[in-house]
Amino acid sequence: MTYRQFGLVSREGRQFGCYYDADGKVVVFARDIGSSACAMITADAPALPHDAHYSLTLGIDNDGCIHVAGGAHVGRPLYLRVEEIENTLKLYTDGADPFASDDRLSYPSFVMDGRGGLFFMARHGVPARSSWRVTQYDDIGGAWNQQSFLLVSGICQNAWPAGPYLSTAVSPRDGRIGFFIVWRSESLAGARTRVCNIGVDYLEADLADRTYTTYDGVKLFAPVTPAISERVVAVPWRRELCNQSGATRLPDGRPFGVASWASTIGSRQVHAFWPARTGTWRTRQVSQFENSVELNGKGTLYLAYSRPVCAALPDGRVIVIYRSGDLGGRLLADVLEPPHYIVRPEQQWIIWDDDLGYYEPVIDVMLAENTGIISLYIQKCGHSDDSTVPADNSTSMSYTAEWDFSRIVR
């Protein structure tokens, strides 16, 4: 899932990923890019996964140790630490986890700042009244700092509360990580069955120094709240804006994001957004979906069209990937050409020609940004509705697949 930040992560030609096996156990794997040979290790999970909130995320510390978290929705996540020694994975169960005494977390995630720093992030609270807190890993001591700090918060005393939802973290540049934010509001939604998301906002964060700014460098005080957060795309609150989508960083350092919201004709479409070199933010519609989908219920897990993800290639092009209900659940890739990122029919491909159910794309953004290779974790999701009752677990084949878009002639 995009809100897990890193479901696949690579370093120096080696890729790491994780998933649940048929028995509900956690499998961590490592492989060379382009190879099907995997080193694997399995660990017990405290609870069987029953929806996307239980998906897994990875991070890599400065010593190359793999950290895994997941399996929680307003609960206590699982945590594993794995080290690869001569192509063999070793599981460590000693040492404290990054959760301190917190046991009501959602969307556990790791982010890396490009300077060796590893950070754990999670939402504290409920959808429309919550905050995100961050914990730093101490490489020297080999342990997580037990004191977390606030990044963004919608919890307030004398105003309408809101819940911040973060998209995929924008890859670090000079130690600063970018975050697109969508705010969830129940106060504006009226009926509680309607999902009301507002945004899109953006901030840059140096998590090691705990300093936050707008895209243009204006200092923001911590925590960042709806009152001071920089609005970069003004999506009206009844335009079915979907939270937690993809983001990347262009080769020249500018952030680039994607999300879905309703156009003026009523159907939700994928849109891309980025700052022009002048600093003015631009948007571009990417998809041409035929059907309209409303965001109702308690969440946005089961959608006919998946959340979009994106990755910038070294040559400046951006690949946008999403699952389409119009095409029977198949997976599409659009190639957007700079500087205006216009979508052309000859630059659109079906890259997975099977029905993937309610699959949400999991992409190795760092690999694409560094090499031009798109690598996805792919597995069909068999849920059929937005029920809050856990579904019976079923299994399906899982894959890692690669497409070398650097070889596609422009």
Side-chain angles (χ1 to χ4, degrees), residues 132 134 149-152 176-177 179 203-214 217-224 228:
W132 280 74
V134 181
F149 58 93
L150 279 169
L151 174 64
V152 295
R176 304 192 67 80
I177 304 169
F179 297 98
L203 70 90
E204 295 265 352
D206 186 325
L207 296 177
D209 292 340
R210 304 186 189 182
T211 57
Y212 314 137
T213 67
T214 66
V218 178
K219 183 178 179 180
L220 299 172
F221 294 98
V224 176
I228 64 172

Side-chain angles (χ1 to χ4, degrees), residues 79-236:
Y79 172 72
L80 304 172
R81 190 163 59 93
V82 178
E83 185 176 5
E84 185 176 30
I85 303 174
E86 296 181 351
N87 294 331
T88 300
L89 298 180
K90 180 180 179 181
L91 177 66
Y92 290 88
T93 57
D94 59 321
D97 61 38
F99 317 134
S101 59
D102 301 315
D103 59 1
R104 291 179 59 80
L105 307 181
S106 300
Y107 313 125
S109 307
F110 295 103
V111 291
M112 295 158 280
D113 68 1
R115 300 181 299 199
L118 175 66
F119 301 85
F120 171 80
M121 304 169 52
R123 189 190 77 183
H124 295 239
V126 294
R129 185 182 177 88
S130 59
S131 62
W132 280 74
R133 302 189 70 91
V134 181
T135 305
Q136 185 171 5
Y137 185 71
D138 179 5
D139 281 313
I140 298 176
W144 288 95
N145 189 327
Q146 294 300 291
Q147 291 296 115
S148 63
F149 58 93
L150 279 169
L151 174 64
V152 295
S153 179
I155 300 174
C156 51
Q157 298 296 326
N158 300 311
W160 288 347
Y165 283 82
L166 305 184
S167 292
T168 302
V170 178
S171 301
R173 177 65 60 95
D174 298 327
R176 304 192 67 80
I177 304 169
F179 297 98
F180 288 105
I181 308 168
V182 167
W183 300 91
R184 174 76 57 85
S185 171
E186 287 183 353
S187 302
L188 293 177
R192 293 177 62 87
T193 57
R194 184 75 176 265
V195 175
C196 179
N197 288 329
I198 306 165
V200 178
D201 293 1
Y202 184 75
L203 70 90
E204 295 265 352
D206 186 325
L207 296 177
D209 292 340
R210 304 186 189 182
T211 57
Y212 314 137
T213 67
T214 66
Y215 169 69
D216 289 329
V218 178
K219 183 178 179 180
L220 299 172
F221 294 98
V224 176
T225 69
I228 64 172
S229 185
E230 181 186 26
R231 181 65 40 85
V232 296
V233 183
V235 181

Side-chain angles (χ1 to χ4, degrees), residues 243-294:
N243 46 279
Q244 298 161 304
S245 296
T248 186
R249 195 177 290 276
L250 300 172
D252 61 9
R254 289 177 295 157
F256 189 102
V258 288
S260 298
W261 65 78
S263 64
T264 55
I265 61 174
S267 61
R268 288 178 62 248
Q269 304 291 345
V270 174
H271 293 79
F273 38 91
W274 69 97
R277 297 186 188 279
T278 60
T280 302
W281 285 78
R282 306 285 179 85
T283 65
R284 174 79 63 186
Q285 181 174 317
V286 175
S287 65
Q288 296 290 336
F289 297 145
E290 297 177 358
N291 298 309
S292 178
V293 178
E294 292 186 351

Side-chain angles (χ1 to χ4, degrees), residues 325-337:
D326 293 344
L327 297 176
R330 289 165 173 80
L331 200 61
L332 275 70
D334 295 336
V335 180
L336 279 57
E337 296 274 357

